[in-house]
Amino acid sequence: MKMNLKRWGALGTAAVSLAGAMVVTGGATAAHADTRCSWSWIYINDSPGGDPKEAARGHSHNTGNHYISYSSWSDYYQKYAWYWESDNDGGSDGDTYDTYYGWNLCDHPAW
């Protein structure tokens, strides 16, 4: 099969477009726990009827509030392990127990 320059150009353009679409789709749909090695002050349990509102070290985003429950030094990894919890604030019908969210190895202590 013989392809002229115009056909090769069209094929290359289609391949670049498809590769770009795959990158955008993969980035938009890829979900993973956000256990970054940084935090800011947030409030957890802030809905009425739940546990008392309190400040915590963590982050807030569209999947909810996540906070560092504890951190410890890992002799095995020679790094600090940060353990994250999800703030399962039950709202006006009462608070739901917070659950484990994930962990990460960081170069510095959480606090």
Coordinates of all heavy atoms in Angstrom, one line a residue, residues 4-74:
N4 N 0.6 8.7 0.3 CA 1.2 9.9 -0.1 C 1.4 10.8 1.1 O 1.0 10.5 2.2 CB 0.4 10.6 -1.2 CG -1.0 11.0 -0.7 OD1 -1.2 11.1 0.5 ND2 -1.9 11.1 -1.7
L5 N 2.1 11.9 1.0 CA 2.4 12.8 2.1 C 1.2 13.3 2.8 O 1.1 13.4 4.0 CB 3.3 14.0 1.5 CG 3.9 14.9 2.6 CD1 4.7 14.1 3.6 CD2 4.7 16.0 1.9
K6 N 0.1 13.6 2.0 CA -1.1 14.1 2.6 C -1.7 13.1 3.6 O -2.2 13.4 4.6 CB -2.1 14.5 1.5 CG -3.3 15.3 1.9 CD -4.1 15.7 0.7 CE -5.1 16.8 1.0 NZ -5.8 17.2 -0.2
R7 N -1.8 11.8 3.2 CA -2.3 10.8 4.0 C -1.5 10.6 5.3 O -2.0 10.4 6.4 CB -2.4 9.4 3.3 CG -3.6 9.4 2.3 CD -3.8 8.1 1.8 NE -5.0 8.0 1.0 CZ -5.4 7.0 0.3 NH1 -4.7 5.9 0.4 NH2 -6.4 7.1 -0.5
W8 N -0.1 10.6 5.2 CA 0.7 10.5 6.3 C 0.5 11.6 7.3 O 0.4 11.5 8.5 CB 2.2 10.4 5.9 CG 2.7 9.1 5.5 CD1 3.0 8.7 4.3 CD2 2.8 7.9 6.3 NE1 3.4 7.4 4.2 CE2 3.3 6.9 5.5 CE3 2.6 7.6 7.7 CZ2 3.5 5.6 6.0 CZ3 2.8 6.4 8.1 CH2 3.3 5.4 7.3
G9 N 0.3 12.8 6.8 CA 0.0 14.0 7.6 C -1.3 13.8 8.4 O -1.4 14.1 9.6
A10 N -2.3 13.4 7.7 CA -3.6 13.1 8.3 C -3.5 12.1 9.4 O -4.1 12.2 10.5 CB -4.6 12.8 7.3
L11 N -2.8 11.0 9.1 CA -2.6 9.9 10.1 C -1.8 10.4 11.3 O -2.2 10.1 12.5 CB -1.8 8.8 9.5 CG -1.6 7.5 10.3 CD1 -3.0 6.9 10.8 CD2 -0.8 6.5 9.6
G12 N -0.8 11.2 11.1 CA 0.0 11.8 12.3 C -0.9 12.7 13.1 O -0.8 12.7 14.3
T13 N -1.7 13.6 12.5 CA -2.6 14.5 13.2 C -3.6 13.7 14.0 O -3.8 14.0 15.2 CB -3.3 15.4 12.2 OG1 -2.4 16.1 11.5 CG2 -4.3 16.3 12.9
A14 N -4.1 12.6 13.5 CA -5.1 11.8 14.2 C -4.4 11.1 15.4 O -5.0 11.1 16.5 CB -5.7 10.7 13.3
A15 N -3.2 10.6 15.2 CA -2.5 10.0 16.3 C -2.2 11.0 17.5 O -2.4 10.7 18.7 CB -1.2 9.4 15.8
V16 N -1.8 12.2 17.1 CA -1.5 13.2 18.1 C -2.8 13.6 18.9 O -2.8 13.7 20.1 CB -0.8 14.5 17.5 CG1 -0.8 15.6 18.5 CG2 0.6 14.1 17.0
S17 N -3.9 13.7 18.2 CA -5.2 14.1 18.8 C -5.6 13.0 19.7 O -6.1 13.2 20.8 CB -6.3 14.3 17.7 OG -6.0 15.4 16.9
L18 N -5.5 11.7 19.3 CA -5.9 10.6 20.2 C -5.0 10.5 21.4 O -5.5 10.3 22.5 CB -5.8 9.3 19.4 CG -6.1 8.0 20.1 CD1 -7.5 8.1 20.6 CD2 -5.9 6.8 19.2
A19 N -3.7 10.7 21.3 CA -2.8 10.7 22.4 C -3.1 11.8 23.4 O -3.2 11.6 24.6 CB -1.3 10.8 22.0
G20 N -3.5 13.0 22.9 CA -3.9 14.1 23.7 C -5.1 13.8 24.5 O -5.3 14.1 25.7
A21 N -6.1 13.2 23.8 CA -7.4 12.8 24.5 C -7.2 11.8 25.5 O -7.8 11.8 26.6 CB -8.4 12.3 23.4
M22 N -6.3 10.8 25.3 CA -6.0 9.8 26.3 C -5.4 10.5 27.6 O -5.7 10.1 28.7 CB -5.1 8.7 25.8 CG -5.8 7.9 24.7 SD -4.9 6.5 24.0 CE -3.3 6.6 24.5
V23 N -4.5 11.4 27.4 CA -3.8 12.1 28.5 C -4.9 12.9 29.3 O -4.9 12.8 30.5 CB -2.7 13.0 28.1 CG1 -2.2 13.9 29.2 CG2 -1.5 12.2 27.5
V24 N -5.7 13.6 28.6 CA -6.7 14.4 29.3 C -7.7 13.5 30.1 O -8.0 13.7 31.2 CB -7.5 15.3 28.3 CG1 -8.7 15.9 28.9 CG2 -6.6 16.4 27.8
T25 N -8.2 12.4 29.4 CA -9.1 11.5 30.0 C -8.5 10.8 31.2 O -9.1 10.7 32.3 CB -9.6 10.5 29.0 OG1 -10.2 11.2 27.9 CG2 -10.6 9.5 29.6
G26 N -7.3 10.3 31.1 CA -6.6 9.6 32.1 C -6.4 10.5 33.3 O -6.6 10.1 34.5
G27 N -6.0 11.8 33.1 CA -5.8 12.7 34.2 C -7.1 13.1 34.9 O -7.2 13.3 36.1
A28 N -8.2 13.2 34.1 CA -9.5 13.6 34.7 C -10.1 12.5 35.5 O -10.9 12.7 36.4 CB -10.4 14.1 33.6
T29 N -9.9 11.2 35.1 CA -10.6 10.2 35.8 C -9.8 9.4 36.8 O -10.3 8.6 37.5 CB -11.1 9.1 34.7 OG1 -10.0 8.6 34.0 CG2 -12.1 9.8 33.8
A30 N -8.5 9.7 36.8 CA -7.6 9.0 37.7 C -7.9 9.5 39.2 O -7.8 10.7 39.4 CB -6.1 9.2 37.4
A31 N -8.3 8.6 40.0 CA -8.6 9.0 41.4 C -7.6 8.3 42.4 O -7.3 7.1 42.2 CB -10.0 8.5 41.8
H32 N -7.2 9.0 43.3 CA -6.3 8.4 44.3 C -6.3 9.3 45.6 O -6.8 10.4 45.6 CB -4.8 8.3 43.8 CG -4.2 9.7 43.5 ND1 -4.5 10.3 42.3 CD2 -3.4 10.5 44.2 CE1 -3.9 11.5 42.3 NE2 -3.2 11.6 43.4
A33 N -6.0 8.7 46.7 CA -6.0 9.4 48.0 C -5.0 10.5 48.0 O -3.8 10.3 47.6 CB -5.8 8.4 49.1
D34 N -5.4 11.7 48.4 CA -4.5 12.8 48.5 C -3.8 12.8 49.8 O -4.4 13.2 50.8 CB -5.2 14.1 48.2 CG -4.3 15.3 48.2 OD1 -3.1 15.2 48.5 OD2 -4.8 16.4 47.9
T35 N -2.6 12.2 49.9 CA -1.9 12.1 51.2 C -0.6 12.9 51.0 O 0.5 12.4 51.4 CB -1.6 10.7 51.5 OG1 -0.9 10.1 50.4 CG2 -2.9 9.9 51.7
R36 N -0.7 14.1 50.6 CA 0.5 15.0 50.3 C 1.3 15.2 51.6 O 0.8 15.0 52.7 CB 0.0 16.3 49.8 CG -0.8 17.1 50.8 CD -1.4 18.4 50.2 NE -2.6 18.0 49.5 CZ -3.5 19.0 49.2 NH1 -3.3 20.2 49.4 NH2 -4.6 18.6 48.6
C37 N 2.5 15.6 51.5 CA 3.4 15.9 52.6 C 3.3 17.3 53.1 O 4.3 17.9 53.4 CB 4.8 15.4 52.3 SG 5.0 13.7 52.1
S38 N 2.1 17.9 53.1 CA 1.9 19.2 53.6 C 0.5 19.3 54.1 O -0.3 18.5 53.8 CB 2.1 20.3 52.4 OG 1.2 20.1 51.4
W39 N 0.3 20.3 55.0 CA -1.0 20.5 55.5 C -1.2 21.9 55.9 O -0.3 22.8 55.8 CB -1.2 19.6 56.8 CG -0.1 19.9 57.9 CD1 1.0 19.3 58.0 CD2 -0.2 20.9 58.9 NE1 1.7 19.8 59.1 CE2 1.0 20.8 59.6 CE3 -1.1 21.9 59.2 CZ2 1.3 21.7 60.7 CZ3 -0.8 22.8 60.3 CH2 0.4 22.6 61.0
S40 N -2.5 22.3 56.1 CA -2.9 23.6 56.6 C -3.9 23.4 57.7 O -4.4 22.3 57.9 CB -3.4 24.5 55.5 OG -4.6 23.9 54.9
W41 N -4.2 24.4 58.4 CA -5.2 24.3 59.5 C -6.6 24.2 58.8 O -7.0 25.1 58.0 CB -5.2 25.4 60.5 CG -4.0 25.3 61.4 CD1 -2.9 26.1 61.4 CD2 -3.8 24.4 62.5 NE1 -2.0 25.7 62.3 CE2 -2.6 24.6 63.0 CE3 -4.6 23.4 63.0 CZ2 -2.1 23.9 64.1 CZ3 -4.1 22.6 64.1 CH2 -2.9 22.9 64.6
I42 N -7.4 23.2 59.2 CA -8.8 23.1 58.7 C -9.7 22.8 59.9 O -9.2 22.6 61.0 CB -9.0 21.9 57.7 CG1 -8.6 20.6 58.3 CG2 -8.1 22.2 56.5 CD1 -9.1 19.4 57.5
Y43 N -11.0 22.9 59.8 CA -11.9 22.5 60.8 C -12.6 21.2 60.4 O -13.0 21.0 59.3 CB -12.9 23.6 61.0 CG -12.4 24.8 61.8 CD1 -12.0 25.9 61.1 CD2 -12.2 24.7 63.2 CE1 -11.5 27.0 61.8 CE2 -11.6 25.7 63.9 CZ -11.3 26.9 63.2 OH -10.8 27.9 63.9
I44 N -12.7 20.3 61.4 CA -13.4 19.0 61.2 C -14.6 19.0 62.2 O -14.6 19.8 63.1 CB -12.5 17.8 61.4 CG1 -11.9 17.8 62.8 CG2 -11.4 17.8 60.3 CD1 -11.1 16.5 63.1
N45 N -15.5 18.2 61.9 CA -16.7 18.0 62.7 C -17.5 19.3 62.8 O -17.9 19.7 63.8 CB -16.4 17.5 64.1 CG -15.6 16.2 64.1 OD1 -15.9 15.3 63.3 ND2 -14.6 16.1 65.0
D46 N -17.6 20.0 61.7 CA -18.2 21.4 61.7 C -19.7 21.4 61.4 O -20.2 22.5 61.3 CB -17.4 22.4 60.9 CG -17.3 22.0 59.4 OD1 -17.7 20.8 59.1 OD2 -16.8 22.8 58.7
S47 N -20.3 20.3 61.2 CA -21.8 20.3 60.9 C -22.5 20.2 62.3 O -22.1 19.6 63.2 CB -22.2 19.1 60.1 OG -21.7 19.2 58.8
P48 N -23.7 20.9 62.3 CA -24.4 20.8 63.6 C -24.9 19.4 63.9 O -25.2 18.6 63.0 CB -25.7 21.7 63.3 CG -25.5 22.3 62.0 CD -24.3 21.6 61.3
G49 N -24.8 19.0 65.2 CA -25.2 17.7 65.6 C -24.1 16.7 65.7 O -24.3 15.6 66.2
G50 N -23.0 17.0 65.1 CA -21.9 16.1 65.1 C -21.0 16.3 66.4 O -21.4 16.9 67.3
D51 N -19.8 15.7 66.3 CA -18.8 16.0 67.4 C -18.5 17.5 67.4 O -18.7 18.2 66.5 CB -17.5 15.2 67.1 CG -17.8 13.7 67.3 OD1 -18.7 13.3 68.1 OD2 -17.0 12.9 66.7
P52 N -17.9 17.9 68.5 CA -17.6 19.3 68.6 C -16.6 19.7 67.5 O -15.7 19.0 67.2 CB -16.9 19.5 70.0 CG -17.4 18.3 70.8 CD -17.7 17.2 69.8
K53 N -16.8 20.9 66.9 CA -15.9 21.4 65.9 C -14.5 21.6 66.5 O -14.3 22.0 67.6 CB -16.4 22.7 65.4 CG -15.7 23.4 64.4 CD -16.4 24.7 64.0 CE -15.6 25.5 63.0 NZ -16.3 26.7 62.6
E54 N -13.5 21.2 65.7 CA -12.1 21.3 66.2 C -11.2 21.6 65.0 O -11.4 21.2 63.9 CB -11.6 20.1 67.0 CG -11.6 18.8 66.2 CD -11.1 17.7 67.1 OE1 -9.9 17.7 67.5 OE2 -11.9 16.8 67.3
A55 N -10.1 22.3 65.3 CA -9.0 22.5 64.3 C -8.2 21.3 64.2 O -8.0 20.5 65.1 CB -8.2 23.7 64.7
A56 N -7.8 21.0 62.9 CA -6.9 19.8 62.7 C -5.9 20.2 61.6 O -6.1 21.1 60.8 CB -7.8 18.7 62.2
R57 N -4.9 19.4 61.5 CA -3.8 19.6 60.5 C -4.2 18.7 59.3 O -4.3 17.5 59.4 CB -2.5 19.2 61.0 CG -1.9 20.1 62.1 CD -0.7 19.4 62.7 NE -0.1 20.3 63.6 CZ -0.2 20.3 65.0 NH1 -1.1 19.4 65.5 NH2 0.4 21.1 65.7
G58 N -4.6 19.3 58.2 CA -5.0 18.6 57.0 C -5.3 19.4 55.8 O -4.6 20.4 55.6
H59 N -6.3 19.0 55.0 CA -6.6 19.7 53.8 C -8.1 19.4 53.5 O -8.6 18.4 53.9 CB -5.7 19.4 52.6 CG -5.7 17.9 52.3 ND1 -4.7 17.1 52.6 CD2 -6.6 17.1 51.6 CE1 -4.9 15.9 52.2 NE2 -6.0 15.9 51.6
S60 N -8.7 20.3 52.8 CA -10.1 20.2 52.3 C -10.1 20.3 50.8 O -9.4 21.1 50.2 CB -11.0 21.3 52.9 OG -11.0 21.2 54.3
H61 N -10.9 19.4 50.2 CA -11.2 19.5 48.7 C -12.5 18.8 48.4 O -13.2 18.5 49.3 CB -10.0 18.9 47.9 CG -9.5 17.6 48.4 ND1 -10.0 16.4 48.0 CD2 -8.5 17.3 49.3 CE1 -9.4 15.4 48.6 NE2 -8.5 15.9 49.4
N62 N -12.8 18.6 47.1 CA -14.1 18.2 46.8 C -14.5 16.8 47.3 O -15.7 16.4 47.3 CB -14.3 18.2 45.3 CG -13.3 17.4 44.5 OD1 -12.5 16.7 45.1 ND2 -13.5 17.3 43.2
T63 N -13.6 16.0 47.7 CA -13.9 14.7 48.3 C -14.0 14.8 49.8 O -14.2 13.8 50.5 CB -12.9 13.6 47.9 OG1 -11.6 14.0 48.4 CG2 -12.9 13.4 46.4
G64 N -13.9 15.9 50.4 CA -14.1 16.1 51.8 C -12.9 16.6 52.6 O -11.9 17.1 52.0
N65 N -13.0 16.6 53.9 CA -11.9 17.0 54.8 C -11.0 15.8 55.1 O -11.6 14.7 55.5 CB -12.4 17.6 56.1 CG -13.1 18.9 55.8 OD1 -12.8 19.6 54.9 ND2 -14.1 19.2 56.7
H66 N -9.7 15.9 55.1 CA -8.8 14.8 55.5 C -7.8 15.4 56.4 O -7.3 16.5 56.1 CB -8.2 14.2 54.2 CG -9.2 13.7 53.3 ND1 -9.4 14.4 52.1 CD2 -10.0 12.7 53.3 CE1 -10.4 13.7 51.4 NE2 -10.8 12.7 52.2
Y67 N -7.5 14.7 57.4 CA -6.5 15.3 58.4 C -5.5 14.2 58.9 O -5.8 13.0 58.7 CB -7.3 15.8 59.6 CG -8.1 14.8 60.4 CD1 -7.5 14.2 61.5 CD2 -9.3 14.4 60.1 CE1 -8.2 13.2 62.2 CE2 -10.0 13.5 60.8 CZ -9.5 12.9 61.9 OH -10.2 11.9 62.6
I68 N -4.4 14.6 59.4 CA -3.4 13.7 59.8 C -3.7 13.3 61.3 O -3.8 14.1 62.2 CB -2.0 14.4 59.9 CG1 -1.7 15.0 58.5 CG2 -0.9 13.5 60.3 CD1 -0.5 16.0 58.4
S69 N -3.9 12.0 61.4 CA -4.3 11.5 62.7 C -3.0 11.3 63.6 O -3.1 11.5 64.8 CB -5.1 10.1 62.6 OG -4.3 9.2 61.9
Y70 N -2.0 10.8 63.0 CA -0.7 10.8 63.7 C 0.4 10.5 62.6 O 0.2 10.2 61.5 CB -0.7 9.7 64.7 CG -0.8 8.2 64.2 CD1 0.4 7.5 64.0 CD2 -2.0 7.7 63.9 CE1 0.3 6.2 63.5 CE2 -2.1 6.4 63.4 CZ -0.9 5.6 63.2 OH -1.0 4.4 62.7
S71 N 1.6 10.7 63.1 CA 2.8 10.5 62.3 C 3.9 9.8 63.1 O 3.9 10.0 64.4 CB 3.3 11.7 61.6 OG 3.9 12.6 62.5
S72 N 4.7 9.1 62.5 CA 5.8 8.4 63.3 C 7.0 8.2 62.3 O 6.9 8.2 61.1 CB 5.3 7.1 63.8 OG 5.0 6.2 62.8
W73 N 8.2 8.1 62.9 CA 9.4 7.8 62.2 C 9.4 6.3 61.8 O 9.1 5.4 62.6 CB 10.6 8.1 63.0 CG 11.9 7.8 62.4 CD1 12.7 6.7 62.7 CD2 12.5 8.4 61.3 NE1 13.8 6.7 61.9 CE2 13.7 7.7 61.0 CE3 12.2 9.5 60.5 CZ2 14.6 8.0 60.0 CZ3 13.0 9.8 59.4 CH2 14.2 9.1 59.2
S74 N 9.8 6.0 60.6 CA 9.9 4.7 60.1 C 11.4 4.3 60.0 O 12.1 4.9 59.1 CB 9.2 4.5 58.8 OG 9.6 3.2 58.2

